[in-house]
Amino acid sequence: MKVVLTSSGESLDSPLDPRFGRAQKFILFDTDNNEHQVVDNSQNLNAAQGAGIQAAQNVSRLNAEYVITGHCGPKAFRTLQAAGIKVIVGVEGTVAEVIEKFKAGKLTPTEASDVEGHWI
Amino acid sequence: MIITIASGKGGTGKTTVATNLAVSISSSIDNTPVWVLDCDVEEPNCHLFLKPEIYTSEAVGVPVPKVDKEKCTACGKCGQFCEYSAIVALKTVPITFPELCHGCGGCSLICPEGAISETKRRVGMLEKGQSGDIGFVHGRLRVGEAMSPPLIRAVKKFVFKKGLTLIDAPPGTSCPVIEAIKGSDFVILVTEPTPFGLNDLTLAVDMVKQLNIPFGVLINRADIGDNRVSEYCQAEGIPILLQIPDNRKIAEAYSRGMMIVDVVPGLRETFMDLYFRIKKMCGQQHNEEA
Ligand code: SF4
Ligand code: SF4
Protein backbone atom coordinates (compact mmCIF):
# COMPACT_ATOMS: atom_id res chain seq x y z
CA MET A 1 0.00 0.00 0.00
CA LYS A 2 1.29 3.48 -0.85
CA VAL A 3 1.15 6.43 1.52
CA VAL A 4 2.17 10.04 1.03
CA LEU A 5 3.78 11.95 3.89
CA THR A 6 4.49 15.66 3.92
CA SER A 7 8.15 16.12 4.69
CA SER A 8 10.45 19.03 5.33
CA GLY A 9 13.40 17.22 3.73
CA GLU A 10 14.38 14.40 1.43
CA SER A 11 15.38 11.75 3.94
CA LEU A 12 13.21 9.60 6.18
CA ASP A 13 14.84 11.29 9.17
CA SER A 14 13.37 14.66 8.20
CA PRO A 15 10.61 16.02 10.39
CA LEU A 16 7.12 15.74 8.98
CA ASP A 17 6.06 19.06 7.43
CA PRO A 18 2.93 20.14 9.30
CA ARG A 19 1.46 21.81 6.22
CA PHE A 20 -0.13 19.93 3.41
CA GLY A 21 -0.54 22.33 0.49
CA ARG A 22 2.66 24.18 1.16
CA ALA A 23 4.74 21.19 2.27
CA GLN A 24 8.35 21.27 1.08
CA LYS A 25 8.35 17.67 -0.15
CA PHE A 26 6.12 14.68 -0.39
CA ILE A 27 7.55 11.29 0.48
CA LEU A 28 5.76 8.46 -1.26
CA PHE A 29 6.29 5.35 0.82
CA ASP A 30 5.33 1.85 -0.21
CA THR A 31 4.59 -0.36 2.80
CA ASP A 32 4.83 -3.52 0.67
CA ASN A 33 8.54 -3.19 -0.10
CA ASN A 34 9.61 -0.34 2.22
CA GLU A 35 10.81 1.74 -0.73
CA HIS A 36 10.32 5.44 -0.91
CA GLN A 37 10.45 8.20 -3.43
CA VAL A 38 10.72 11.99 -2.95
CA VAL A 39 8.30 14.20 -4.83
CA ASP A 40 8.84 17.93 -5.03
CA ASN A 41 5.97 20.23 -4.07
CA SER A 42 7.88 23.49 -4.29
CA GLN A 43 5.89 24.95 -7.16
CA ASN A 44 3.04 25.15 -4.69
CA LEU A 45 4.93 26.95 -1.96
CA ASN A 46 4.33 30.29 -3.57
CA ALA A 47 0.83 29.73 -4.90
CA ALA A 48 -1.44 32.52 -3.70
CA GLN A 49 -4.59 30.47 -3.66
CA GLY A 50 -5.54 26.91 -4.25
CA ALA A 51 -2.19 25.46 -3.10
CA GLY A 52 -4.00 22.76 -1.16
CA ILE A 53 -6.09 21.78 -4.15
CA GLN A 54 -3.04 21.68 -6.41
CA ALA A 55 -1.15 19.58 -3.91
CA ALA A 56 -4.10 17.22 -3.60
CA GLN A 57 -4.18 16.83 -7.37
CA ASN A 58 -0.46 16.09 -7.41
CA VAL A 59 -0.90 13.49 -4.70
CA SER A 60 -3.78 11.83 -6.48
CA ARG A 61 -1.46 11.10 -9.41
CA LEU A 62 0.81 9.11 -7.12
CA ASN A 63 -1.82 6.43 -6.55
CA ALA A 64 -1.51 6.61 -2.79
CA GLU A 65 -4.23 5.40 -0.47
CA TYR A 66 -3.34 7.65 2.46
CA VAL A 67 -2.00 11.12 3.08
CA ILE A 68 -0.31 11.69 6.43
CA THR A 69 0.31 15.29 7.48
CA GLY A 70 -0.03 17.83 10.27
CA HIS A 71 -2.93 19.91 9.05
CA CYS A 72 -5.24 19.80 6.07
CA GLY A 73 -7.61 22.61 5.06
CA PRO A 74 -11.15 22.10 3.77
CA LYS A 75 -10.44 22.51 0.05
CA ALA A 76 -7.51 20.12 0.03
CA PHE A 77 -9.52 17.70 2.11
CA ARG A 78 -12.47 17.74 -0.27
CA THR A 79 -10.15 17.20 -3.22
CA LEU A 80 -8.38 14.28 -1.57
CA GLN A 81 -11.70 12.80 -0.58
CA ALA A 82 -12.96 13.06 -4.14
CA ALA A 83 -9.86 11.19 -5.26
CA GLY A 84 -10.64 8.47 -2.73
CA ILE A 85 -7.58 9.20 -0.61
CA LYS A 86 -7.83 8.89 3.16
CA VAL A 87 -6.33 11.69 5.21
CA ILE A 88 -4.54 11.40 8.56
CA VAL A 89 -3.86 14.69 10.37
CA GLY A 90 -2.41 15.90 13.65
CA VAL A 91 0.75 13.82 13.28
CA GLU A 92 4.22 14.86 14.44
CA GLY A 93 7.72 13.38 14.42
CA THR A 94 10.19 12.31 11.77
CA VAL A 95 8.91 10.65 8.63
CA ALA A 96 10.43 7.30 9.72
CA GLU A 97 8.74 7.45 13.13
CA VAL A 98 5.42 8.28 11.58
CA ILE A 99 5.71 5.39 9.14
CA GLU A 100 6.29 3.00 12.04
CA LYS A 101 3.22 4.31 13.85
CA PHE A 102 1.21 3.97 10.68
CA LYS A 103 2.34 0.38 10.11
CA ALA A 104 1.48 -0.44 13.70
CA GLY A 105 -2.06 0.74 13.00
CA LYS A 106 -1.83 3.61 15.49
CA LEU A 107 -3.00 6.31 13.10
CA THR A 108 -6.59 6.74 12.04
CA PRO A 109 -7.96 8.80 9.15
CA THR A 110 -9.95 11.92 9.88
CA GLU A 111 -13.53 12.47 8.77
CA ALA A 112 -13.17 16.20 8.20
CA SER A 113 -10.56 18.83 7.59
CA ASP A 114 -9.00 19.99 10.84
CA VAL A 115 -8.41 23.64 10.02
CA GLU A 116 -10.34 26.45 8.41
CA GLY A 117 -8.89 27.83 5.23
CA HIS A 118 -5.38 29.00 5.11
CA TRP A 119 -3.54 26.30 6.97
CA ILE A 120 -3.22 24.40 3.70
CA MET B 1 -17.79 63.40 -15.79
CA ILE B 2 -16.60 60.74 -13.39
CA ILE B 3 -14.58 61.64 -10.31
CA THR B 4 -13.38 58.83 -8.09
CA ILE B 5 -12.41 59.41 -4.49
CA ALA B 6 -9.75 56.95 -3.42
CA SER B 7 -7.25 56.51 -0.65
CA GLY B 8 -4.21 54.34 -0.01
CA LYS B 9 -5.64 53.33 3.34
CA GLY B 10 -8.96 53.29 5.15
CA GLY B 11 -10.18 55.94 7.55
CA THR B 12 -8.73 59.00 5.83
CA GLY B 13 -12.07 60.62 5.10
CA LYS B 14 -12.80 59.35 1.59
CA THR B 15 -16.50 59.02 2.27
CA THR B 16 -16.69 62.48 3.85
CA VAL B 17 -15.17 63.99 0.72
CA ALA B 18 -17.41 62.03 -1.65
CA THR B 19 -20.67 62.77 0.13
CA ASN B 20 -19.96 66.42 0.90
CA LEU B 21 -18.78 67.10 -2.61
CA ALA B 22 -21.99 65.53 -3.89
CA VAL B 23 -24.21 67.59 -1.60
CA SER B 24 -22.36 70.83 -2.33
CA ILE B 25 -22.66 70.43 -6.07
CA SER B 26 -26.20 69.13 -6.26
CA SER B 27 -27.51 71.88 -3.98
CA SER B 28 -25.73 74.68 -5.79
CA ILE B 29 -25.46 73.89 -9.49
CA ASP B 30 -28.58 73.43 -11.53
CA ASN B 31 -28.64 71.11 -14.52
CA THR B 32 -25.94 68.87 -13.14
CA PRO B 33 -27.44 65.58 -12.06
CA VAL B 34 -25.20 64.05 -9.40
CA TRP B 35 -24.83 60.35 -8.75
CA VAL B 36 -22.93 58.80 -5.89
CA LEU B 37 -21.76 55.25 -6.49
CA ASP B 38 -20.38 53.67 -3.35
CA CYS B 39 -17.97 51.02 -4.63
CA ASP B 40 -16.42 50.39 -1.22
CA VAL B 41 -18.55 47.26 -1.20
CA GLU B 42 -16.89 45.60 1.77
CA GLU B 43 -17.76 48.50 3.99
CA PRO B 44 -20.09 50.90 2.20
CA ASN B 45 -20.95 53.89 4.34
CA CYS B 46 -21.93 56.76 2.06
CA HIS B 47 -25.54 55.88 2.90
CA LEU B 48 -24.91 56.73 6.55
CA PHE B 49 -24.39 60.35 5.52
CA LEU B 50 -26.58 60.72 2.46
CA LYS B 51 -29.42 58.73 4.07
CA PRO B 52 -30.94 57.83 0.72
CA GLU B 53 -34.33 56.30 0.29
CA ILE B 54 -33.59 52.89 -1.24
CA TYR B 55 -36.12 51.89 -3.87
CA THR B 56 -34.60 48.86 -5.54
CA SER B 57 -32.51 46.05 -4.23
CA GLU B 58 -31.24 43.11 -6.23
CA ALA B 59 -28.86 40.20 -5.77
CA VAL B 60 -25.63 40.20 -7.78
CA GLY B 61 -24.14 36.87 -8.69
CA VAL B 62 -21.15 35.52 -10.53
CA PRO B 63 -21.36 32.61 -12.93
CA VAL B 64 -19.96 29.38 -11.58
CA PRO B 65 -19.83 25.99 -13.28
CA LYS B 66 -22.30 23.21 -12.67
CA VAL B 67 -21.41 19.74 -13.88
CA ASP B 68 -23.99 17.37 -15.29
CA LYS B 69 -22.93 14.01 -13.85
CA GLU B 70 -24.82 12.09 -16.55
CA LYS B 71 -22.92 13.69 -19.40
CA CYS B 72 -19.45 13.90 -17.81
CA THR B 73 -16.96 11.24 -18.87
CA ALA B 74 -14.36 12.30 -16.27
CA CYS B 75 -11.88 13.22 -18.99
CA GLY B 76 -10.24 15.84 -16.75
CA LYS B 77 -9.97 18.58 -19.39
CA CYS B 78 -11.89 21.17 -17.37
CA GLY B 79 -9.60 20.78 -14.37
CA GLN B 80 -6.47 21.09 -16.49
CA PHE B 81 -7.83 24.27 -18.00
CA CYS B 82 -8.84 26.14 -14.87
CA GLU B 83 -5.96 28.26 -13.54
CA TYR B 84 -7.72 28.93 -10.26
CA SER B 85 -8.30 25.34 -9.16
CA ALA B 86 -11.97 26.19 -9.01
CA ILE B 87 -12.86 23.02 -10.87
CA VAL B 88 -10.86 19.89 -10.16
CA ALA B 89 -11.16 16.69 -12.11
CA LEU B 90 -9.37 13.68 -10.74
CA LYS B 91 -10.46 10.32 -11.99
CA THR B 92 -14.02 11.19 -11.18
CA VAL B 93 -16.70 13.70 -12.02
CA PRO B 94 -15.06 17.06 -11.22
CA ILE B 95 -15.61 18.84 -7.94
CA THR B 96 -15.99 22.60 -7.89
CA PHE B 97 -14.90 25.34 -5.51
CA PRO B 98 -17.28 28.17 -6.41
CA GLU B 99 -15.54 30.63 -4.07
CA LEU B 100 -12.37 30.35 -6.18
CA CYS B 101 -14.13 30.63 -9.55
CA HIS B 102 -13.46 33.80 -11.53
CA GLY B 103 -16.38 33.16 -13.83
CA CYS B 104 -14.31 33.07 -17.03
CA GLY B 105 -16.52 30.39 -18.57
CA GLY B 106 -13.49 28.54 -19.95
CA CYS B 107 -14.31 25.17 -18.44
CA SER B 108 -17.71 24.99 -20.12
CA LEU B 109 -16.14 25.88 -23.47
CA ILE B 110 -13.43 23.27 -23.09
CA CYS B 111 -15.68 20.41 -22.02
CA PRO B 112 -16.03 18.03 -25.00
CA GLU B 113 -19.26 16.56 -23.64
CA GLY B 114 -21.08 19.83 -23.01
CA ALA B 115 -21.48 18.71 -19.43
CA ILE B 116 -20.78 22.08 -17.83
CA SER B 117 -23.40 24.77 -17.56
CA GLU B 118 -23.41 28.02 -15.62
CA THR B 119 -25.25 28.77 -12.47
CA LYS B 120 -25.05 31.88 -10.33
CA ARG B 121 -23.39 32.30 -6.99
CA ARG B 122 -24.56 35.33 -5.04
CA VAL B 123 -21.74 37.67 -4.01
CA GLY B 124 -23.75 40.58 -2.69
CA MET B 125 -26.60 43.01 -3.07
CA LEU B 126 -26.96 46.10 -5.21
CA GLU B 127 -29.17 48.85 -3.85
CA LYS B 128 -30.36 51.92 -5.65
CA GLY B 129 -32.01 54.97 -4.21
CA GLN B 130 -32.29 58.71 -4.03
CA SER B 131 -31.10 61.30 -1.52
CA GLY B 132 -32.67 64.65 -2.33
CA ASP B 133 -31.48 65.38 -5.86
CA ILE B 134 -28.62 62.90 -5.62
CA GLY B 135 -28.93 59.52 -7.26
CA PHE B 136 -27.44 56.80 -5.13
CA VAL B 137 -26.18 53.28 -5.81
CA HIS B 138 -24.12 51.01 -3.64
CA GLY B 139 -23.09 47.40 -3.39
CA ARG B 140 -22.96 45.35 -0.23
CA LEU B 141 -20.62 42.41 -0.40
CA ARG B 142 -21.72 39.28 1.42
CA VAL B 143 -19.77 38.86 4.68
CA GLY B 144 -16.67 36.76 4.12
CA GLU B 145 -16.92 37.05 0.35
CA ALA B 146 -13.66 37.77 -1.48
CA MET B 147 -14.91 38.29 -5.04
CA SER B 148 -15.76 42.00 -4.99
CA PRO B 149 -14.89 43.11 -8.56
CA PRO B 150 -18.09 41.69 -10.12
CA LEU B 151 -20.19 43.61 -7.60
CA ILE B 152 -18.17 46.78 -8.21
CA ARG B 153 -18.76 46.36 -11.95
CA ALA B 154 -22.49 46.00 -11.29
CA VAL B 155 -22.51 49.26 -9.30
CA LYS B 156 -20.53 51.01 -12.02
CA LYS B 157 -23.15 50.20 -14.63
CA PHE B 158 -24.92 53.24 -13.17
CA VAL B 159 -22.18 55.66 -14.17
CA PHE B 160 -24.01 58.62 -15.63
CA LYS B 161 -21.71 60.34 -18.08
CA LYS B 162 -23.76 63.45 -18.78
CA GLY B 163 -23.96 64.58 -15.19
CA LEU B 164 -21.44 64.11 -12.47
CA THR B 165 -20.73 60.67 -11.06
CA LEU B 166 -18.78 60.46 -7.82
CA ILE B 167 -17.34 57.06 -7.03
CA ASP B 168 -16.25 56.13 -3.51
CA ALA B 169 -13.53 53.53 -4.11
CA PRO B 170 -12.47 50.86 -1.64
CA PRO B 171 -9.33 51.76 0.36
CA GLY B 172 -5.95 50.38 -0.68
CA THR B 173 -4.37 49.66 -4.03
CA SER B 174 -5.59 46.14 -4.82
CA CYS B 175 -7.62 44.72 -7.68
CA PRO B 176 -11.05 45.97 -6.45
CA VAL B 177 -9.66 49.50 -6.14
CA ILE B 178 -8.47 49.44 -9.73
CA GLU B 179 -11.85 48.10 -10.79
CA ALA B 180 -13.51 51.09 -9.08
CA ILE B 181 -11.11 53.70 -10.50
CA LYS B 182 -10.96 52.43 -14.09
CA GLY B 183 -12.66 54.73 -16.58
CA SER B 184 -12.68 57.78 -14.29
CA ASP B 185 -11.89 61.24 -15.61
CA PHE B 186 -10.20 62.31 -12.41
CA VAL B 187 -9.12 60.76 -9.12
CA ILE B 188 -9.00 62.55 -5.78
CA LEU B 189 -6.55 60.80 -3.49
CA VAL B 190 -7.45 61.51 0.12
CA THR B 191 -4.64 61.29 2.63
CA GLU B 192 -3.52 62.40 6.07
CA PRO B 193 -0.24 64.22 6.75
CA THR B 194 1.31 61.38 8.74
CA PRO B 195 4.16 59.00 7.88
CA PHE B 196 1.66 56.17 7.35
CA GLY B 197 -0.50 58.43 5.25
CA LEU B 198 2.48 59.33 3.10
CA ASN B 199 3.53 55.74 2.63
CA ASP B 200 0.07 54.65 1.48
CA LEU B 201 -0.27 57.76 -0.63
CA THR B 202 2.87 56.96 -2.63
CA LEU B 203 1.47 53.49 -3.39
CA ALA B 204 -1.84 54.99 -4.47
CA VAL B 205 -0.04 57.55 -6.64
CA ASP B 206 1.88 54.79 -8.42
CA MET B 207 -1.37 52.96 -9.08
CA VAL B 208 -3.21 55.97 -10.51
CA LYS B 209 -0.20 56.90 -12.65
CA GLN B 210 -0.23 53.44 -14.16
CA LEU B 211 -3.88 53.84 -15.02
CA ASN B 212 -2.99 57.14 -16.65
CA ILE B 213 -5.79 59.13 -15.05
CA PRO B 214 -5.31 62.75 -13.95
CA PHE B 215 -5.35 63.08 -10.18
CA GLY B 216 -4.70 65.34 -7.25
CA VAL B 217 -4.29 64.99 -3.51
CA LEU B 218 -6.66 66.15 -0.80
CA ILE B 219 -5.07 66.38 2.63
CA ASN B 220 -7.56 65.74 5.37
CA ARG B 221 -6.93 66.69 9.00
CA ALA B 222 -4.19 68.79 7.50
CA ASP B 223 -2.79 70.11 10.76
CA ILE B 224 -2.24 66.86 12.66
CA GLY B 225 1.08 65.69 11.25
CA ASP B 226 4.09 67.07 9.47
CA ASN B 227 4.86 68.64 6.10
CA ARG B 228 6.16 65.57 4.36
CA VAL B 229 3.01 64.87 2.35
CA SER B 230 3.04 68.43 0.99
CA GLU B 231 6.75 68.23 0.29
CA TYR B 232 6.30 64.94 -1.52
CA CYS B 233 3.49 66.36 -3.67
CA GLN B 234 5.55 69.42 -4.52
CA ALA B 235 8.57 67.34 -5.46
CA GLU B 236 6.45 65.06 -7.64
CA GLY B 237 4.48 67.90 -9.19
CA ILE B 238 1.20 66.55 -7.85
CA PRO B 239 -1.48 69.20 -7.30
CA ILE B 240 -2.71 69.57 -3.72
CA LEU B 241 -6.39 70.13 -4.32
CA LEU B 242 -7.52 71.01 -0.86
CA GLN B 243 -6.48 70.86 2.77
CA ILE B 244 -9.20 70.27 5.33
CA PRO B 245 -8.15 71.18 8.87
CA ASP B 246 -8.65 68.96 11.88
CA ASN B 247 -11.65 70.67 13.32
CA ARG B 248 -13.75 69.58 16.29
CA LYS B 249 -16.96 70.57 14.56
CA ILE B 250 -16.03 68.31 11.66
CA ALA B 251 -15.27 65.36 13.91
CA GLU B 252 -18.57 65.83 15.75
CA ALA B 253 -20.56 66.13 12.55
CA TYR B 254 -18.92 62.99 11.23
CA SER B 255 -19.65 60.98 14.35
CA ARG B 256 -23.31 61.99 14.14
CA GLY B 257 -23.62 61.09 10.47
CA MET B 258 -24.03 64.76 9.52
CA MET B 259 -22.67 66.60 6.51
CA ILE B 260 -19.62 68.68 7.35
CA VAL B 261 -20.71 71.34 4.86
CA ASP B 262 -23.70 71.91 7.11
CA VAL B 263 -21.59 72.74 10.15
CA VAL B 264 -18.55 74.55 8.78
CA PRO B 265 -19.40 77.88 7.17
CA GLY B 266 -17.92 78.39 3.74
CA LEU B 267 -17.03 74.73 3.20
CA ARG B 268 -19.80 74.24 0.66
CA GLU B 269 -18.26 76.98 -1.49
CA THR B 270 -14.83 75.42 -1.00
CA PHE B 271 -16.10 72.09 -2.34
CA MET B 272 -17.81 73.85 -5.26
CA ASP B 273 -14.57 75.58 -6.07
CA LEU B 274 -12.77 72.24 -5.89
CA TYR B 275 -15.20 70.80 -8.41
CA PHE B 276 -14.68 73.69 -10.83
CA ARG B 277 -10.92 73.41 -10.53
CA ILE B 278 -11.05 69.67 -11.22
CA LYS B 279 -13.25 70.33 -14.24
CA LYS B 280 -10.72 72.81 -15.49
CA MET B 281 -7.83 70.43 -14.91
CA CYS B 282 -9.61 67.73 -16.88
CA GLY B 283 -10.37 70.19 -19.66
CA GLN B 284 -6.73 71.19 -19.85
CA GLN B 285 -5.71 67.58 -19.95
CA HIS B 286 -8.01 67.00 -22.92
CA ASN B 287 -6.61 70.04 -24.71
CA GLU B 288 -3.09 68.87 -24.18
CA GLU B 289 -3.98 65.51 -25.65
CA ALA B 290 -5.67 67.07 -28.66
S1 SF4 C 1 -15.40 29.43 -15.08
FE1 SF4 C 1 -13.18 29.71 -15.33
S2 SF4 C 1 -12.48 30.08 -13.25
FE2 SF4 C 1 -14.52 29.21 -13.04
S3 SF4 C 1 -14.16 27.02 -12.85
FE3 SF4 C 1 -14.47 27.41 -15.02
S4 SF4 C 1 -12.40 27.68 -15.83
FE4 SF4 C 1 -12.26 27.88 -13.61
S1 SF4 D 1 -14.31 18.43 -19.29
FE1 SF4 D 1 -16.45 17.83 -19.18
S2 SF4 D 1 -16.43 15.63 -19.48
FE2 SF4 D 1 -14.34 16.22 -18.99
S3 SF4 D 1 -14.20 15.96 -16.74
FE3 SF4 D 1 -14.77 18.08 -17.13
S4 SF4 D 1 -17.01 18.05 -17.04
FE4 SF4 D 1 -16.39 15.96 -17.27
Side-chain angles (χ1 to χ4, degrees):
Chain A
M1 179 193 353
K2 287 180 181 168
V3 294
V4 164
L5 303 102
T6 51
S7 173
S8 42
E10 306 211 342
S11 84
L12 295 183
D13 296 326
S14 318
L16 198 82
D17 194 323
R19 303 161 304 177
F20 174 67
R22 289 172 208 273
Q24 301 280 341
K25 307 274 175 199
F26 290 134
I27 288 187
L28 177 67
F29 188 87
D30 192 335
T31 54
D32 297 335
N33 54 17
N34 286 337
E35 281 180 8
H36 77 276
Q37 191 189 328
V38 179
V39 183
D40 199 48
N41 185 45
S42 57
Q43 91 264 18
N44 262 338
L45 281 173
N46 301 318
Q49 263 194 328
I53 302 171
Q54 293 282 348
Q57 281 179 285
N58 294 344
V59 166
S60 77
R61 289 189 201 105
L62 302 173
N63 292 321
E65 276 181 49
Y66 284 87
V67 161
I68 307 178
T69 186
H71 302 281
C72 181
K75 297 194 184 84
F77 186 79
R78 244 187 86 200
T79 310
L80 290 167
Q81 226 183 8
I85 300 167
K86 297 183 195 79
V87 186
I88 297 172
V89 293
V91 185
E92 286 173 358
T94 66
V95 172
E97 284 164 10
V98 172
I99 289 171
E100 285 318 307
K101 277 193 211 159
F102 176 74
K103 283 191 190 159
K106 287 185 189 149
L107 303 176
T108 40
T110 172
E111 295 298 317
S113 70
D114 70 322
V115 276
E116 271 305 314
H118 263 227
W119 241 100
I120 48 181
Chain B
M1 177 163 166
I2 308 166
I3 302 175
T4 297
I5 297 91
S7 164
K9 72 179 183 95
T12 53
K14 221 168 25 71
T15 302
T16 309
V17 174
T19 52
N20 284 278
L21 192 56
V23 168
S24 304
I25 296 164
S26 91
S27 64
S28 320
I29 311 175
D30 294 333
N31 320 324
T32 303
V34 180
W35 281 85
V36 171
L37 308 187
D38 194 345
C39 287
D40 187 359
V41 297
E42 262 177 73
E43 231 174 301
N45 48 23
C46 286
H47 65 282
L48 300 176
F49 299 92
L50 292 175
K51 304 180 176 69
E53 195 181 320
I54 299 292
Y55 52 79
T56 58
S57 178
E58 59 185 90
V60 174
V62 292
V64 292
K66 188 173 161 223
V67 181
D68 183 339
K69 292 192 184 76
E70 304 296 315
K71 288 188 190 161
C72 172
T73 56
C75 73
K77 291 211 169 96
C78 52
Q80 283 154 21
F81 176 83
C82 181
E83 311 180 32
Y84 305 104
S85 300
I87 188 161
V88 178
L90 303 157
K91 291 152 228 155
T92 55
V93 171
I95 51 172
T96 57
F97 294 94
E99 66 275 30
L100 297 181
C101 173
H102 284 229
C104 72
C107 52
S108 66
L109 288 176
I110 217 99
C111 174
E113 310 298 331
I116 303 178
S117 58
E118 272 179 7
T119 110
K120 288 260 180 195
R121 183 174 71 88
R122 198 167 72 118
V123 292
M125 298 297 291
L126 181 117
E127 293 179 322
K128 209 176 146 194
Q130 189 80 28
S131 164
D133 289 332
I134 302 169
F136 176 85
V137 184
H138 73 178
R140 287 175 187 268
L141 198 67
R142 229 168 34 111
V143 176
E145 174 59 56
M147 220 56 86
S148 63
L151 182 55
I152 294 173
R153 282 196 288 275
V155 174
K156 283 186 72 179
K157 285 207 182 114
F158 293 92
V159 160
F160 187 70
K161 288 228 161 117
K162 284 202 182 119
L164 171 67
T165 301
L166 295 171
I167 294 176
D168 191 357
T173 48
S174 59
C175 219
V177 185
I178 293 170
E179 195 65 56
I181 292 181
K182 254 185 347 200
S184 304
D185 297 303
F186 193 88
V187 176
I188 301 176
L189 291 176
V190 183
T191 188
E192 284 176 350
T194 61
F196 286 132
L198 177 59
N199 178 57
D200 295 320
L201 175 65
T202 55
L203 298 174
V205 164
D206 288 345
M207 168 185 72
V208 184
K209 275 188 178 160
Q210 278 187 23
L211 292 169
N212 213 0
I213 299 171
F215 68 98
V217 166
L218 185 152
I219 306 178
N220 195 19
R221 307 215 279 150
D223 37 12
I224 59 166
D226 51 34
N227 283 328
R228 278 188 287 173
V229 167
S230 324
E231 282 163 18
Y232 161 78
C233 290
Q234 264 154 22
E236 294 283 318
I238 299 166
I240 296 175
L241 302 166
L242 187 64
Q243 312 211 23
I244 301 178
D246 185 24
N247 177 314
R248 240 194 85 195
K249 273 191 192 157
I250 292 180
E252 275 177 19
Y254 182 84
S255 66
R256 291 201 202 121
M258 284 162 64
M259 286 292 160
I260 63 172
V261 293
D262 289 336
V263 297
V264 180
L267 202 52
R268 196 176 287 261
E269 290 70 27
T270 307
F271 273 114
M272 293 274 297
D273 176 58
L274 171 66
Y275 169 60
F276 287 124
R277 277 185 291 133
I278 289 175
K279 245 181 127 170
K280 218 168 136 198
M281 286 164 83
C282 290
Q284 276 168 1
Q285 180 85 9
H286 288 307
N287 290 344
E288 271 169 25
E289 279 170 6

